[in-house]
Amino acid sequence: MLKYQQIAAEIEKYIEDNALQQGDKLPVLETLMAQFEVSKSTITKSLDLLEKKGVVFQVRGSGIFVRRHKRKGYISLLSNQGFKENLEDFNITSEVIELEVRKPTKEVALALNIELNEDVYYIKRVRYINGQTLCLEESFYNKSIITYLNKEIASESIFYYIREGLGLKVGFSDMYLHVDKLNEEEAKYLGLKKGEPKLYVETLFHLTNGQPFDFSKVTYNYEQSQFFIQTNSQFL
Amino acid sequence: MLKYQQIAAEIEKYIEDNALQQGDKLPVLETLMAQFEVSKSTITKSLDLLEKKGVVFQVRGSGIFVRRHKRKGYISLLSNQGFKENLEDFNITSEVIELEVRKPTKEVALALNIELNEDVYYIKRVRYINGQTLCLEESFYNKSIITYLNKEIASESIFYYIREGLGLKVGFSDMYLHVDKLNEEEAKYLGLKKGEPKLYVETLFHLTNGQPFDFSKVTYNYEQSQFFIQTNSQFL
DNA sequence: TAGTGGTCTAGACCACTAT
DNA sequence: TAGTGGTCTAGACCACTAG
């Protein structure tokens, strides 16, 4: 683990262990430099990382402060991976409805940047949170990257398997979302009624090298899904 | 403007002007260092900024590549400001329903971190996109920070006024969102029917120094609102 | 193994905040 | 004006990718 990641982790743990609240001040840069015995740039890099994660905010001329949000029970939309890891506080389970190798539709081929005659893993799951239906998920994995999948893996965390089992590095993703009304099939799987609201999210996941490997379409149960996003003012 | 911001802007403009596509390779670091006559750290900082903005992605050992998403007409959820600036391609207008100074509710006082006897500006607007209703917005501004507002400002971009008129620096924000059914009043303002879907978003905006200054509640017209989020793998 | 991006340092100087 | 975070440099060395 790199120095700046290690230091970031320690600072985060310190905030957690001491239950620091929004606005609480952290030691000044010079102190942190001395404490961790690193240069200013390294500490700065650690703090920038924590700032991106929404853990602290830095104010020039003033100090470094803890950033916290108040509401619990919200799912972070930005954690670029399955929920399994994101929602450790919750009890997430999956029921695999379907898993097979098939040829992509035009839409899927375009998203995954593959030919129509290449193979994809198609997985359809219903995911549960604390026993309630959370969402219906259909995923398409590029089989030339995700070379093997089975029901056992799919009923656990696929992303964990991708990273630890296959040794792949998940990079960035593009999410498209809108609100609509449930159709008959979606309503059935989620235990709701046709015409009730849904949040519909399509996500294209890429490896760190830019290759798209997973295109997924998720329909959320509106009764169970509260989402949370932390924004930084990185856009001028 | 700082060097690294200037360089980032120039690189972004270069990508735009040459209509570069996802995966197109940019010059290597050494070339960029020479071209802009700056040190490696500065170029790196520019590229990190562009990476945060979702404009490029960097692959160690390989190169720097353009990142693009394919879909047009989606509103970015992460642009931490009004839409006015975010959606220059669209025609966004606002109708101010109500604007007054009032005392906060407990909920608002808690969010804005003020006392119940302090003043807030309350603004209720309907926003339109290309002539259709986009959303119903209720905002509460801490009056000790946003000292003055009027209908004219509120019918244009309030955030532009906050930055340029008041000289304040907008920092981070926390967004909470869920899907639900429209109530009678919301349906009326949006021109929809009671019980139809809505996306409901509460956002708490802070200045760069961490002070919350705006708590807003927005109900979106599900027919008009498609959202877009770019994620980076900053979370391990 | 050559090429490319990433980490880390030590230090100078700058810009903003608080008093 | 003292204190604090931000920018920028020059350079050494490291880690990953691709041919």
Side-chain angles (χ1 to χ4, degrees):
Chain A
M1 199 179 207
L2 296 165
K3 267 193 192 177
Y4 81 93
Q5 293 175 329
Q6 182 62 42
I7 292 169
E10 285 183 38
I11 293 174
E12 193 167 5
K13 185 167 186 306
Y14 171 82
I15 292 171
E16 203 58 49
D17 290 348
N18 293 275
L20 298 191
Q21 294 308 301
Q22 171 116 358
D24 286 355
K25 197 167 185 294
L26 292 177
V28 300
L29 277 182
E30 203 169 352
T31 308
L32 293 170
M33 284 168 66
Q35 184 178 331
F36 291 105
E37 296 180 295
V38 292
S39 71
K40 190 173 179 180
S41 321
T42 302
I43 278 292
T44 296
K45 191 146 198 204
S46 301
L47 292 167
D48 287 349
L49 179 61
L50 291 176
E51 191 158 46
K52 272 207 284 187
K53 287 182 67 172
V55 175
V56 305
F57 61 95
Q58 302 174 75
V59 186
R60 193 204 288 243
S62 181
I64 303 150
F65 304 91
V66 173
R67 177 173 176 195
R68 296 234 111 142
H69 60 272
K70 288 164 185 162
R71 305 186 188 181
K72 300 297 169 197
Y74 285 72
I75 299 172
S76 172
L77 262 185
L78 294 191
S79 74
N80 202 16
Q81 21 215 331
F83 298 125
K84 204 66 189 203
E85 8 218 325
N86 171 22
L87 286 178
E88 283 170 2
D89 311 340
F90 303 85
N91 180 21
I92 302 272
T93 57
S94 299
E95 179 193 352
V96 179
I97 310 290
E98 214 175 328
L99 187 158
E100 63 173 27
V101 174
R102 53 163 80 163
K103 302 298 178 192
T105 61
K106 267 192 190 171
E107 179 202 24
V108 171
L110 185 68
L112 292 178
N113 200 24
I114 59 177
E115 301 298 323
L116 289 169
N117 61 0
E118 296 191 61
D119 286 332
V120 299
Y121 269 109
Y122 169 74
I123 298 173
K124 186 175 189 170
R125 302 192 288 184
V126 177
R127 314 202 72 181
Y128 299 87
I129 184 167
N130 300 326
Q132 311 268 4
T133 59
L134 172 64
C135 63
L136 171 65
E137 177 194 283
E138 292 185 289
S139 290
F140 304 85
Y141 292 89
N142 182 342
K143 188 165 180 296
S144 73
I145 299 173
I146 311 299
T147 49
Y148 179 72
L149 273 179
N150 63 31
K151 281 214 174 190
E152 207 170 6
I153 295 165
S155 64
E156 295 296 323
S157 172
I158 297 181
F159 273 67
Y160 177 82
Y161 163 73
I162 287 172
R163 279 202 306 280
E164 305 302 323
L166 297 176
L168 297 172
K169 276 171 287 181
V170 176
F172 55 92
S173 60
D174 301 334
M175 301 179 57
Y176 304 89
L177 46 114
H178 70 264
V179 174
D180 210 332
K181 296 174 182 173
L182 288 169
N183 65 32
E184 194 110 35
E185 191 207 357
E186 294 161 345
K188 187 190 77 182
Y189 282 114
L190 295 176
L192 297 169
K193 290 180 194 141
K194 181 181 170 186
E196 289 198 294
K198 72 175 179 192
L199 178 66
Y200 178 74
V201 183
E202 292 187 353
T203 309
L204 185 59
F205 295 92
H206 305 74
L207 299 178
T208 47
N209 69 6
Q211 274 192 294
F213 68 95
D214 174 19
F215 180 59
S216 84
K217 308 174 173 194
V218 182
T219 303
Y220 288 95
N221 180 339
Y222 76 103
E223 291 177 329
Q224 298 304 324
S225 37
Q226 303 190 103
F227 297 95
F228 174 63
I229 301 177
Q230 280 179 309
T231 307
N232 293 311
S233 71
Q234 54 206 244
F235 306 106
L236 288 193
Chain B
M1 201 180 207
L2 296 165
K3 267 192 193 177
Y4 81 92
Q5 293 174 329
Q6 182 62 41
I7 292 169
E10 285 184 38
I11 294 175
E12 192 167 5
K13 185 167 185 305
Y14 172 81
I15 292 170
E16 203 58 49
D17 289 348
N18 293 276
L20 299 190
Q21 294 309 300
Q22 171 116 359
D24 285 355
K25 197 166 185 294
L26 292 177
V28 301
L29 278 181
E30 204 170 350
T31 309
L32 293 170
M33 284 168 66
Q35 183 177 333
F36 292 105
E37 295 180 295
V38 293
S39 70
K40 189 172 178 178
S41 320
T42 302
I43 279 290
T44 296
K45 192 145 197 203
S46 301
L47 291 168
D48 287 349
L49 179 60
L50 291 176
E51 191 157 47
K52 271 207 286 189
K53 288 182 68 174
V55 174
V56 305
F57 62 95
Q58 300 174 77
V59 185
R60 190 199 299 237
S62 180
I64 304 151
F65 304 91
V66 173
R67 177 173 175 195
R68 296 233 111 142
H69 61 272
K70 288 162 186 166
R71 306 187 188 180
K72 300 296 168 198
Y74 284 71
I75 300 172
S76 172
L77 262 184
L78 293 190
S79 75
N80 203 16
Q81 19 216 330
F83 298 124
K84 204 65 187 202
E85 8 218 325
N86 171 22
L87 286 178
E88 282 169 4
D89 312 339
F90 304 85
N91 179 21
I92 302 271
T93 58
S94 299
E95 179 193 353
V96 180
I97 310 289
E98 214 176 328
L99 187 158
E100 64 172 27
V101 174
R102 54 162 79 163
K103 303 298 179 191
T105 61
K106 267 192 191 173
E107 180 201 24
V108 171
L110 184 67
L112 291 177
N113 200 23
I114 59 177
E115 302 296 325
L116 289 169
N117 61 1
E118 296 191 62
D119 286 332
V120 297
Y121 269 109
Y122 169 73
I123 297 173
K124 186 175 188 171
R125 303 193 286 185
V126 177
R127 314 203 72 180
Y128 299 87
I129 184 166
N130 300 326
Q132 312 268 4
T133 58
L134 172 64
C135 63
L136 171 66
E137 175 194 283
E138 293 185 289
S139 290
F140 303 86
Y141 291 89
N142 182 343
K143 188 166 180 296
S144 72
I145 299 173
I146 310 300
T147 48
Y148 178 73
L149 273 179
N150 64 29
K151 281 213 175 191
E152 208 169 8
I153 296 166
S155 65
E156 295 295 323
S157 172
I158 297 180
F159 273 66
Y160 178 82
Y161 163 74
I162 287 173
R163 280 202 307 277
E164 304 303 322
L166 297 176
L168 297 172
K169 275 168 288 181
V170 177
F172 55 92
S173 60
D174 301 333
M175 301 180 58
Y176 304 90
L177 45 114
H178 69 263
V179 174
D180 210 333
K181 297 175 181 173
L182 288 167
N183 65 32
E184 194 108 36
E185 192 207 358
E186 293 160 345
K188 189 191 76 184
Y189 281 114
L190 294 177
L192 296 170
K193 289 179 192 142
K194 181 181 170 185
E196 288 198 294
K198 72 176 180 192
L199 178 67
Y200 178 75
V201 183
E202 292 187 354
T203 310
L204 185 60
F205 294 92
H206 305 74
L207 299 178
T208 47
N209 69 7
Q211 276 191 294
F213 69 95
D214 173 19
F215 179 59
S216 83
K217 308 175 175 193
V218 181
T219 303
Y220 287 95
N221 180 340
Y222 77 103
E223 291 176 331
Q224 298 304 324
S225 37
Q226 302 190 104
F227 298 95
F228 174 63
I229 301 177
Q230 278 178 310
T231 307
N232 293 311
S233 70
Q234 54 206 244
F235 306 106
L236 286 194

